Amino acid sequence: MHPSGRQAGQMRPIIIETGFSRHAEGSALIRIGGTEVLCTASVENRVPPFLRGKGSGWVTAEYGMLPRATHARGNREAARGKQSGRTQEIQRLIGRSLRAVTDLKALGELCITLDCDVLNADGGTRCASITGAWVALRLALGKLVANRVLQRMPLTGQVAAVSCGLTSAGAVLDLDYTEDSAALADTNFVLSADNRIVEIQASAEHAPFSEDAFNSLFALARKGAGELFEAQLTAVNTAEQP
Amino acid sequence: MHPSGRQAGQMRPIIIETGFSRHAEGSALIRIGGTEVLCTASVENRVPPFLRGKGSGWVTAEYGMLPRATHARGNREAARGKQSGRTQEIQRLIGRSLRAVTDLKALGELCITLDCDVLNADGGTRCASITGAWVALRLALGKLVANRVLQRMPLTGQVAAVSCGLTSAGAVLDLDYTEDSAALADTNFVLSADNRIVEIQASAEHAPFSEDAFNSLFALARKGAGELFEAQLTAVNTAEQP
Amino acid sequence: MHPSGRQAGQMRPIIIETGFSRHAEGSALIRIGGTEVLCTASVENRVPPFLRGKGSGWVTAEYGMLPRATHARGNREAARGKQSGRTQEIQRLIGRSLRAVTDLKALGELCITLDCDVLNADGGTRCASITGAWVALRLALGKLVANRVLQRMPLTGQVAAVSCGLTSAGAVLDLDYTEDSAALADTNFVLSADNRIVEIQASAEHAPFSEDAFNSLFALARKGAGELFEAQLTAVNTAEQP
Amino acid sequence: MHPSGRQAGQMRPIIIETGFSRHAEGSALIRIGGTEVLCTASVENRVPPFLRGKGSGWVTAEYGMLPRATHARGNREAARGKQSGRTQEIQRLIGRSLRAVTDLKALGELCITLDCDVLNADGGTRCASITGAWVALRLALGKLVANRVLQRMPLTGQVAAVSCGLTSAGAVLDLDYTEDSAALADTNFVLSADNRIVEIQASAEHAPFSEDAFNSLFALARKGAGELFEAQLTAVNTAEQP
Amino acid sequence: MHPSGRQAGQMRPIIIETGFSRHAEGSALIRIGGTEVLCTASVENRVPPFLRGKGSGWVTAEYGMLPRATHARGNREAARGKQSGRTQEIQRLIGRSLRAVTDLKALGELCITLDCDVLNADGGTRCASITGAWVALRLALGKLVANRVLQRMPLTGQVAAVSCGLTSAGAVLDLDYTEDSAALADTNFVLSADNRIVEIQASAEHAPFSEDAFNSLFALARKGAGELFEAQLTAVNTAEQP
Amino acid sequence: MHPSGRQAGQMRPIIIETGFSRHAEGSALIRIGGTEVLCTASVENRVPPFLRGKGSGWVTAEYGMLPRATHARGNREAARGKQSGRTQEIQRLIGRSLRAVTDLKALGELCITLDCDVLNADGGTRCASITGAWVALRLALGKLVANRVLQRMPLTGQVAAVSCGLTSAGAVLDLDYTEDSAALADTNFVLSADNRIVEIQASAEHAPFSEDAFNSLFALARKGAGELFEAQLTAVNTAEQP
């Protein structure tokens, strides 16, 4: 059981709303319980310097949190003049996760930037960002295919992410902020719909944890990811239906 | 007439939704046509160094724009490592405007930060920010009074802002982005509900403009502000009704 | 009456000295009472990226204050590593004001940078900067025309700026630092010699002020600007006479 | 087999030299094949603000790479004016890994900073840093115990890290730079000597990979870590023998 | 002979004007030929952290160049966001030079900041800064003594600086910008009026130079410094005469 | 006599080890007593913008100190986000010193960066950096000549540097950190093997010093440099022998 009474293997409610952003080629406002992230996909006709003239595109991500997305107001990174190490780590993770399911050659010399901005935070923001970013990316690519900018869909898979943690009461799925703060181990699983691994980040909080515990967390993650894959498809289908 | 067909003196639809932010002491998601700004008021038990021990509080503001709030994606200021001159100018304006209707002594040694983050931009974001920030501030102060942290409401007035511009077809109220880009003069009026002036910013775009034109713009602003004052009160009343 | 005994509508003494800077294409050292600003115009054979190949030039401005231009020493912005919001706001204002009276097409692909550095500060530095910058710009353009780099003078007007403020004793013209610190409303009027408006910035300091007060301030500004236009022409004529 | 001919489960030669740094309380120069990292532990009589007066110490880490540690010279981060996202990610990982085996209460109000500077890079620098940092930390703590600054050794375990990767020829242990660049999946395992998990970072490079592959990589990591634990103990014992 | 026709051992005209800065406790506008530097001394009732409570004062310096002090406009350091290495080197030199003739204990817990801002540059700006800064410092200290803030004058000597260079025609005194650009060796001598050395900086420009050449440059410097010491005393006496 | 018992004119032991850096075209790990600096020379096929297309190469230097090279841990410049004035001053000195003995035309359009990173500091790090950088540069250029990238060796001389200081007991050669901290005057002499001057930096610490003292320091420096020139040649010959 979660401290909140939720079952150990139960996800919080998942809502994915598309089209919130008026200008982006694809967008998803994803809500997982009290966490809410606006994910937008922006298509630009350029590639970073290291790819110029190589016939390949790029997918990258940026992550941010509104100052009052959190319980106590945090500093605005733009005002502080730099992104924190945590922010950079998360946006690198989002970028790698989405590139793992994109055929960059098939994208041609386009760059897609996934902006994930947390409007309300209650744990699991990096996972919600990845899950929502896939929807935004999928919708943007869908438009490029529909408009014949691209010959075929460059996505090679579906990716979603979920956090699991070891609490004093055992392994639980989809930690909220309070649970996350108290967890003995904190893990983020980025998985693909064909049952493979995109990224795993597992961290002991105060003391090392056992391989058995890791395996329990992994099993919960598989379950949670299944629900996320479904919610993603529903959101895409709803957005694209004529 | 506006180029879009709207009447010269007609505001775009105004929608103010409160409570969007789960953690802020006060919040307003304000929509003026296609412009959408999330305004939050955060109360902190501290004052800036220059006010320490003086028995007075402070109200300040920060402004930001999500990278894809705009037609083409803009750079993320946190990633660039600094806020633009435009951003700083706007957030200074918001702060001054709200302080002009706050009795800082009555606030005690509290600091209220108004964060105005543009989720979708279609012209007039600084004006929408001020108008929304007043609602967020009013709600946060209302809670402080209700919780007896404050003895009385420190607000001394109601403030709202609207932009007007000189187009080739004459003076118009509440410019959208396309109109703003083509305007010959661009003005922002921050006004109080008791018919006084808080701030005026008027800029010629390509050539100086006449005092008569200025007076027409001012008259339109008074009209638009009236509608905004009403929408603010409705939002506050709805939020506070038992 | 000014607190200092000066009449409400009386400017402080105006002195504009040209040629102080040995290298600049145009320069003016402007003194308005105890305020002293060195304004230089630098001509460069380049335009900013967004204008490349468009057959148009650019006029921009930078503003600074020597650390001990003020009563108490201020931080050096170069040492702090960034320009304050106030500095950026002022230099943006100077640039816009001068562009409003420049035909950028007639300038060809040249960039003119107006550097306004405050050597001594006693209120009204942004207004003195604009007034002095016009002289520096005019002299630099005069040389370009004389040297046949330009076919005709790209200036379309004459611009000057003056501050007015509401004191407890009523509206006064050309505030010095002490007056400015105590003013109830602070306004800057950037006007053209043909009686039009280039920029207006009006700010309530502690409480909103009335439209009547605004109109009194505007009337004083018109008067003060008249004296500045005359001083500008005298300075230019003296500098250019054979 | 490794592309280099090394067996799939064979570590590169491990050499840990202590005392290279003349001033640090503990230091280890660790060489894993062609990778060489200088790890120092610095003890300071202070704690970060969030721990002041809480009777608890802190362990933190910083990571850097000499500009020419790599095949082609990289930019010096101090000259660029910021640490890259990769650097910050690595130093956060090192800090977390060492804190997981330190009893911060037993440390008292001391701060230990682990500096890991890469002198020569040939893959696996973050893992070598963690493994070397444990030795530096252990030696510094040993001195504090010997000098009776601390009553007992605050270390609760032994930690080491090793990278494994999926190459076209299968899973291999301890990737060098060339292998790392070509890997299909890249994993870093931070493990404790009592057979538990401190951190796992697993990333697919171009496409998701299977759970079976992950398990093979984990098994190799356990084997490699065993050799590292032994080398650590030998280094500590040699350094501390009378 | 100088390329300009000036004798090898002849200084350019020296003019030191005091009181240019209205607010500084001491100020000197020094002109050496076409080089012009405004030096101000600001007295503050604080010391840097490393001196707190030690009963000793501090003298420090900051240096800047107006963007158009030079032939071609240079970047504004405040806008670039950092001081160049050259700027930092010069301001460190100025600070060291003045501290070498100040009894910091006799200063009490005061900090004096010497700001040296180049208004027009034609070679030798760092030397002119030191020479002018001594006058500004002397005047500020004179006031502190006159006002009985200090019991006695904390200056222990008189310091001035001059550049000498090796041109193709031999050693010359007080290089202007054109000469400096072509010099084979460039030296700055900071000397005290009692014939001692405060600082020497000697740099070969393209190839090493002989000790004999160095000795010739040193002899010229002694001569030039003599003239500067005289000009300094005249300026101080004029400023202080009743 | 040195405070440590070393003779006034005696250098500390000099050891220059080549090849420590695995990737650099030339490298030298220089130890002068307890000071240890890793110097690498990196050859790149590019020149800085101001030299493009001019048929000339460039030699530049960067300097850094590991945080715990010193007795007490210093801040990491990369983490602070900028290089100190001292660091910049030193790296500019190293670059100038090596360029003074390099024929940049003979180098062709190549850039050589000399990175000098202090691993252990005990005084004289800038001098050790210059001495070691010459060896690294010489070895890198030797390879370019051997590989026929260059037709002839672009070095025009041999350069080394040594510090001397005035202690209460008189002039001494090659100050260690403790001596340096207490010195009355601190000098750095960069000399060429043909008995000429590359750079002299002489600074009074608390009071000006006499020309006689300067001459004694210079004489010691000549002696010390002789030993350094010999050690450099031995290191180069050993590294290059077949």
Side-chain angles (χ1 to χ4, degrees):
Chain A
M1 288 266 286
H2 282 259
S4 63
R6 191 160 34 105
Q7 295 297 314
Q10 191 184 346
M11 289 288 295
R12 292 176 289 174
I14 306 163
I15 303 173
I16 304 179
E17 178 189 333
T18 60
F20 182 89
S21 166
R22 286 162 207 263
H23 303 295
E25 282 73 24
S27 77
L29 179 61
I30 183 168
R31 291 188 188 88
I32 309 279
T35 285
E36 190 160 11
V37 186
L38 177 55
C39 307
T40 60
S42 297
V43 180
E44 288 169 295
N45 216 332
R46 57 166 191 87
V47 284
F50 68 90
L51 281 179
R52 273 179 208 148
K54 304 223 167 133
S56 174
W58 192 240
V59 172
T60 185
E62 289 187 7
Y63 171 93
M65 211 182 245
L66 295 197
R68 197 55 197 281
T70 44
H71 192 77
R73 185 178 183 272
N75 286 327
R76 185 178 289 268
E77 291 189 330
R80 284 178 57 226
K82 62 176 188 173
Q83 294 179 298
S84 70
R86 178 185 172 277
T87 291
Q88 292 187 66
E89 191 173 311
I90 292 175
Q91 65 193 13
R92 284 157 55 89
L93 170 67
I94 303 170
R96 279 198 313 271
S97 296
L98 276 298
R99 283 194 298 277
V101 292
T102 309
D103 177 349
L104 298 173
K105 283 285 176 192
L107 189 55
E109 295 214 352
L110 296 177
C111 180
I112 302 190
T113 303
L114 301 163
D115 286 290
C116 299
D117 285 276
V118 180
L119 306 186
N120 281 298
D122 187 22
T125 65
R126 82 184 66 188
C127 291
S129 295
I130 291 169
T131 305
W134 186 85
V135 174
L137 175 62
R138 172 63 188 75
L139 291 174
L141 291 172
K143 272 192 205 154
L144 292 172
V145 171
N147 300 340
R148 316 243 170 185
V149 177
L150 296 180
Q151 307 264 320
R152 56 182 179 82
M153 173 57 63
L155 276 183
T156 58
Q158 188 179 350
V159 73
V162 69
S163 74
C164 300
L166 214 54
T167 69
S168 50
V172 298
L173 176 64
D174 185 28
L175 302 175
D176 66 25
Y177 176 73
T178 312
E179 293 161 354
D180 185 76
S181 307
L184 306 173
D186 186 11
T187 56
N188 296 291
F189 290 89
V190 188
L191 303 172
S192 62
D194 65 351
N195 237 15
R196 299 171 83 84
I197 299 166
V198 175
E199 286 263 346
I200 298 175
Q201 295 184 330
S203 299
E205 283 301 319
H206 301 291
F209 58 101
S210 71
E211 193 165 344
D212 279 358
F214 177 80
N215 288 334
S216 310
L217 295 165
F218 200 164
L220 288 175
R222 289 246 176 253
K223 178 184 173 303
E227 295 180 40
L228 294 165
F229 291 131
E230 214 168 299
Q232 287 176 324
L233 291 183
T234 304
V236 169
N237 290 339
T238 308
E240 289 190 343
Q241 79 195 354
Chain B
M1 288 265 286
H2 283 261
S4 63
R6 193 160 32 107
Q7 294 297 316
Q10 192 184 346
M11 290 289 294
R12 293 175 289 172
I14 305 163
I15 302 172
I16 304 179
E17 178 188 334
T18 59
F20 183 89
S21 167
R22 285 162 207 263
H23 302 295
E25 282 73 26
S27 77
L29 178 62
I30 182 169
R31 292 187 186 87
I32 310 279
T35 285
E36 189 160 11
V37 186
L38 177 55
C39 307
T40 60
S42 297
V43 180
E44 288 169 295
N45 216 332
R46 58 166 190 88
V47 284
F50 68 90
L51 282 178
R52 274 180 207 148
K54 305 223 167 132
S56 173
W58 192 240
V59 172
T60 186
E62 288 188 7
Y63 170 92
M65 210 183 245
L66 295 196
R68 196 55 197 282
T70 44
H71 192 75
R73 183 176 184 275
N75 286 328
R76 184 179 290 267
E77 291 188 329
R80 284 178 57 226
K82 63 175 187 173
Q83 293 179 300
S84 71
R86 178 185 171 277
T87 291
Q88 291 187 68
E89 192 174 311
I90 292 174
Q91 64 194 14
R92 283 158 54 91
L93 170 66
I94 302 170
R96 279 197 312 272
S97 298
L98 276 298
R99 282 194 298 276
V101 293
T102 309
D103 177 349
L104 297 174
K105 284 285 176 192
L107 189 54
E109 294 213 354
L110 295 177
C111 179
I112 302 191
T113 302
L114 302 163
D115 286 289
C116 299
D117 284 276
V118 180
L119 306 186
N120 281 298
D122 188 21
T125 63
R126 80 183 68 187
C127 291
S129 295
I130 291 168
T131 305
W134 185 86
V135 175
L137 176 62
R138 172 63 189 74
L139 291 174
L141 292 171
K143 273 192 204 155
L144 292 172
V145 171
N147 299 339
R148 316 242 169 187
V149 176
L150 296 180
Q151 307 263 321
R152 56 180 179 84
M153 172 59 61
L155 276 184
T156 59
Q158 187 178 350
V159 75
V162 68
S163 75
C164 300
L166 214 54
T167 69
S168 50
V172 298
L173 176 64
D174 184 29
L175 302 175
D176 66 24
Y177 176 74
T178 312
E179 291 161 356
D180 185 77
S181 307
L184 306 173
D186 186 11
T187 56
N188 296 292
F189 291 89
V190 187
L191 303 172
S192 62
D194 65 352
N195 237 13
R196 300 171 83 84
I197 298 165
V198 175
E199 287 263 346
I200 298 177
Q201 294 182 333
S203 301
E205 283 301 319
H206 300 290
F209 59 100
S210 70
E211 193 166 343
D212 279 357
F214 178 79
N215 289 332
S216 311
L217 295 165
F218 201 163
L220 288 175
R222 289 247 176 252
K223 178 185 174 302
E227 295 181 40
L228 293 166
F229 291 131
E230 213 168 302
Q232 287 175 324
L233 291 183
T234 305
V236 169
N237 291 338
T238 310
E240 290 190 343
Q241 79 195 354
Chain C
M1 288 266 286
H2 282 259
S4 63
R6 194 160 31 106
Q7 294 297 316
Q10 191 184 345
M11 290 288 294
R12 291 175 292 173
I14 306 164
I15 302 173
I16 304 179
E17 179 189 332
T18 59
F20 183 89
S21 166
R22 285 161 207 264
H23 303 295
E25 283 72 25
S27 77
L29 179 61
I30 183 168
R31 290 188 188 88
I32 309 279
T35 285
E36 190 160 10
V37 186
L38 177 55
C39 306
T40 60
S42 297
V43 181
E44 289 169 295
N45 216 332
R46 56 166 192 88
V47 284
F50 68 89
L51 282 178
R52 273 180 208 148
K54 304 221 169 135
S56 174
W58 191 240
V59 172
T60 186
E62 288 187 7
Y63 170 92
M65 210 183 246
L66 295 197
R68 196 55 196 280
T70 44
H71 192 75
R73 185 177 183 273
N75 287 327
R76 185 178 289 269
E77 291 189 329
R80 285 179 55 227
K82 63 176 187 173
Q83 294 180 297
S84 70
R86 179 186 171 275
T87 291
Q88 292 187 67
E89 191 172 313
I90 292 175
Q91 65 193 12
R92 283 158 54 90
L93 170 66
I94 302 170
R96 280 197 312 271
S97 296
L98 276 298
R99 282 195 298 276
V101 293
T102 308
D103 177 348
L104 297 174
K105 283 285 177 193
L107 189 54
E109 295 214 351
L110 295 177
C111 179
I112 301 190
T113 303
L114 301 163
D115 286 290
C116 299
D117 285 276
V118 180
L119 306 186
N120 280 298
D122 187 23
T125 64
R126 81 183 68 188
C127 291
S129 296
I130 291 169
T131 306
W134 185 85
V135 174
L137 176 61
R138 172 62 189 74
L139 291 175
L141 291 172
K143 272 191 205 154
L144 291 172
V145 171
N147 299 338
R148 317 243 168 186
V149 177
L150 296 180
Q151 308 263 320
R152 56 180 180 82
M153 172 59 61
L155 276 183
T156 58
Q158 188 179 348
V159 74
V162 68
S163 73
C164 300
L166 215 53
T167 69
S168 50
V172 297
L173 176 63
D174 185 29
L175 302 175
D176 66 25
Y177 176 73
T178 313
E179 292 161 356
D180 185 77
S181 306
L184 306 174
D186 185 13
T187 56
N188 297 291
F189 290 89
V190 188
L191 303 172
S192 63
D194 65 351
N195 237 12
R196 299 170 84 84
I197 298 165
V198 175
E199 286 263 346
I200 297 177
Q201 295 184 330
S203 301
E205 283 300 321
H206 300 291
F209 59 101
S210 71
E211 191 165 344
D212 279 357
F214 177 79
N215 289 334
S216 309
L217 295 166
F218 200 163
L220 288 175
R222 287 247 176 252
K223 178 184 173 303
E227 294 179 41
L228 293 166
F229 291 132
E230 213 168 302
Q232 286 176 323
L233 290 182
T234 304
V236 168
N237 291 338
T238 308
E240 289 190 343
Q241 81 195 352
Chain D
M1 289 264 287
H2 282 260
S4 64
R6 195 163 26 111
Q7 295 296 317
Q10 191 183 348
M11 290 288 293
R12 292 176 290 173
I14 306 163
I15 302 174
I16 305 178
E17 179 188 333
T18 60
F20 183 89
S21 167
R22 284 162 209 264
H23 303 295
E25 282 72 26
S27 77
L29 179 61
I30 182 169
R31 292 187 187 89
I32 310 278
T35 285
E36 190 160 10
V37 186
L38 177 55
C39 307
T40 60
S42 297
V43 180
E44 289 170 294
N45 216 332
R46 57 166 192 87
V47 285
F50 68 91
L51 282 178
R52 275 181 207 147
K54 305 222 168 133
S56 173
W58 192 240
V59 172
T60 185
E62 289 188 6
Y63 170 93
M65 211 183 246
L66 295 196
R68 197 54 197 282
T70 44
H71 192 75
R73 185 177 183 274
N75 286 328
R76 183 178 291 268
E77 290 189 331
R80 285 178 57 225
K82 63 176 187 172
Q83 294 180 298
S84 70
R86 179 187 170 275
T87 290
Q88 292 187 67
E89 191 174 312
I90 292 175
Q91 65 194 12
R92 284 158 54 89
L93 169 66
I94 302 171
R96 280 198 312 271
S97 296
L98 276 298
R99 282 195 297 277
V101 292
T102 309
D103 177 348
L104 297 174
K105 283 284 177 193
L107 190 54
E109 293 214 355
L110 295 177
C111 179
I112 301 190
T113 304
L114 302 163
D115 286 290
C116 299
D117 284 275
V118 180
L119 307 185
N120 280 298
D122 188 23
T125 64
R126 81 183 66 188
C127 291
S129 295
I130 291 168
T131 305
W134 185 85
V135 174
L137 176 60
R138 172 62 190 72
L139 291 175
L141 292 173
K143 272 192 205 153
L144 292 171
V145 171
N147 300 339
R148 317 243 167 185
V149 176
L150 297 180
Q151 308 263 319
R152 57 180 178 83
M153 172 59 60
L155 277 184
T156 58
Q158 187 179 349
V159 74
V162 68
S163 74
C164 301
L166 215 54
T167 70
S168 50
V172 298
L173 176 64
D174 184 28
L175 302 175
D176 67 25
Y177 176 73
T178 313
E179 291 160 357
D180 185 77
S181 307
L184 306 175
D186 186 12
T187 57
N188 296 291
F189 291 90
V190 187
L191 303 173
S192 62
D194 65 351
N195 238 13
R196 298 170 85 84
I197 298 167
V198 175
E199 286 263 346
I200 297 176
Q201 294 184 331
S203 301
E205 283 301 320
H206 301 291
F209 59 100
S210 71
E211 192 166 343
D212 279 357
F214 177 79
N215 289 334
S216 310
L217 294 165
F218 201 164
L220 288 175
R222 288 248 176 251
K223 177 184 173 302
E227 295 180 40
L228 293 166
F229 292 130
E230 212 168 303
Q232 287 175 323
L233 291 183
T234 304
V236 168
N237 291 338
T238 309
E240 289 190 343
Q241 78 195 355
Chain E
M1 288 265 286
H2 282 261
S4 64
R6 195 163 27 109
Q7 294 298 315
Q10 193 185 344
M11 290 288 294
R12 293 176 289 174
I14 306 163
I15 302 173
I16 304 178
E17 180 188 333
T18 59
F20 183 89
S21 167
R22 284 162 208 263
H23 302 295
E25 282 72 25
S27 77
L29 179 61
I30 183 169
R31 292 188 187 87
I32 310 278
T35 285
E36 191 159 8
V37 186
L38 178 54
C39 306
T40 60
S42 298
V43 180
E44 288 170 294
N45 216 333
R46 58 166 189 88
V47 285
F50 68 91
L51 283 178
R52 272 178 210 151
K54 304 222 167 132
S56 173
W58 191 241
V59 173
T60 185
E62 289 188 7
Y63 170 94
M65 210 183 246
L66 295 197
R68 197 52 195 282
T70 44
H71 192 76
R73 184 176 184 276
N75 287 327
R76 184 179 290 268
E77 290 189 331
R80 283 177 59 224
K82 63 176 188 173
Q83 294 180 298
S84 70
R86 179 186 170 276
T87 290
Q88 292 189 66
E89 191 173 312
I90 292 175
Q91 65 194 12
R92 284 158 54 90
L93 171 65
I94 302 170
R96 279 198 312 272
S97 297
L98 276 298
R99 282 195 298 276
V101 293
T102 308
D103 177 349
L104 297 174
K105 284 285 176 192
L107 190 54
E109 294 214 353
L110 295 177
C111 179
I112 302 190
T113 303
L114 302 163
D115 286 290
C116 299
D117 284 276
V118 180
L119 307 185
N120 280 298
D122 188 21
T125 64
R126 80 183 68 187
C127 291
S129 295
I130 292 169
T131 305
W134 185 85
V135 174
L137 175 61
R138 172 63 189 72
L139 292 174
L141 291 173
K143 271 191 207 155
L144 291 172
V145 171
N147 299 340
R148 316 243 168 185
V149 177
L150 296 180
Q151 307 264 319
R152 57 180 178 83
M153 173 59 61
L155 276 184
T156 59
Q158 188 179 349
V159 75
V162 68
S163 74
C164 300
L166 214 53
T167 69
S168 50
V172 298
L173 176 64
D174 184 29
L175 302 175
D176 67 24
Y177 176 73
T178 313
E179 292 161 355
D180 185 77
S181 307
L184 306 173
D186 187 10
T187 56
N188 296 292
F189 291 89
V190 187
L191 303 173
S192 62
D194 65 351
N195 237 13
R196 298 170 83 85
I197 298 165
V198 174
E199 285 262 347
I200 298 176
Q201 294 184 331
S203 300
E205 283 301 320
H206 300 291
F209 59 101
S210 71
E211 191 166 343
D212 279 357
F214 177 79
N215 289 333
S216 309
L217 295 166
F218 200 163
L220 287 175
R222 289 248 174 249
K223 177 184 174 302
E227 294 180 41
L228 293 166
F229 291 131
E230 214 168 301
Q232 287 175 323
L233 291 183
T234 304
V236 169
N237 291 338
T238 309
E240 289 191 344
Q241 78 195 357
Chain F
M1 288 264 286
H2 282 259
S4 64
R6 194 162 29 109
Q7 294 297 316
Q10 192 185 344
M11 291 288 295
R12 292 176 290 174
I14 306 163
I15 301 173
I16 305 178
E17 179 189 332
T18 60
F20 183 88
S21 166
R22 285 162 207 264
H23 302 296
E25 283 72 24
S27 77
L29 178 62
I30 183 168
R31 291 188 187 89
I32 310 278
T35 285
E36 190 159 9
V37 186
L38 177 55
C39 306
T40 60
S42 296
V43 180
E44 288 170 295
N45 217 333
R46 57 165 192 88
V47 284
F50 68 91
L51 282 178
R52 272 178 210 151
K54 303 222 168 132
S56 175
W58 192 240
V59 172
T60 186
E62 289 188 6
Y63 170 92
M65 211 183 246
L66 296 196
R68 196 53 196 282
T70 44
H71 192 76
R73 185 176 184 273
N75 286 328
R76 185 178 290 268
E77 291 189 330
R80 284 179 56 226
K82 65 175 185 171
Q83 293 179 300
S84 71
R86 178 186 171 275
T87 291
Q88 292 187 66
E89 191 173 312
I90 292 175
Q91 64 193 15
R92 283 159 55 90
L93 170 66
I94 303 170
R96 280 199 311 273
S97 297
L98 276 298
R99 284 195 296 277
V101 293
T102 309
D103 178 349
L104 297 174
K105 283 284 175 191
L107 189 55
E109 295 214 353
L110 295 177
C111 179
I112 302 191
T113 303
L114 301 163
D115 286 290
C116 299
D117 285 275
V118 180
L119 306 186
N120 280 297
D122 187 21
T125 64
R126 80 183 68 187
C127 291
S129 294
I130 292 169
T131 305
W134 185 85
V135 173
L137 176 61
R138 171 63 189 72
L139 291 174
L141 291 172
K143 270 191 207 156
L144 292 172
V145 171
N147 300 340
R148 316 243 168 185
V149 176
L150 297 178
Q151 306 263 320
R152 57 181 178 82
M153 172 60 60
L155 276 183
T156 59
Q158 189 179 348
V159 73
V162 69
S163 74
C164 300
L166 214 53
T167 69
S168 50
V172 298
L173 176 64
D174 185 28
L175 302 174
D176 66 24
Y177 176 73
T178 313
E179 293 161 355
D180 186 76
S181 307
L184 306 174
D186 185 12
T187 56
N188 296 291
F189 291 90
V190 188
L191 302 172
S192 63
D194 65 351
N195 238 14
R196 298 170 84 84
I197 298 165
V198 174
E199 286 263 346
I200 297 177
Q201 295 184 331
S203 300
E205 283 301 320
H206 300 289
F209 59 100
S210 71
E211 191 166 344
D212 279 357
F214 176 79
N215 289 334
S216 309
L217 295 166
F218 200 163
L220 289 175
R222 288 247 176 254
K223 178 183 174 302
E227 294 180 40
L228 293 166
F229 292 131
E230 213 167 301
Q232 287 176 323
L233 291 183
T234 304
V236 170
N237 290 338
T238 308
E240 289 190 343
Q241 78 195 355

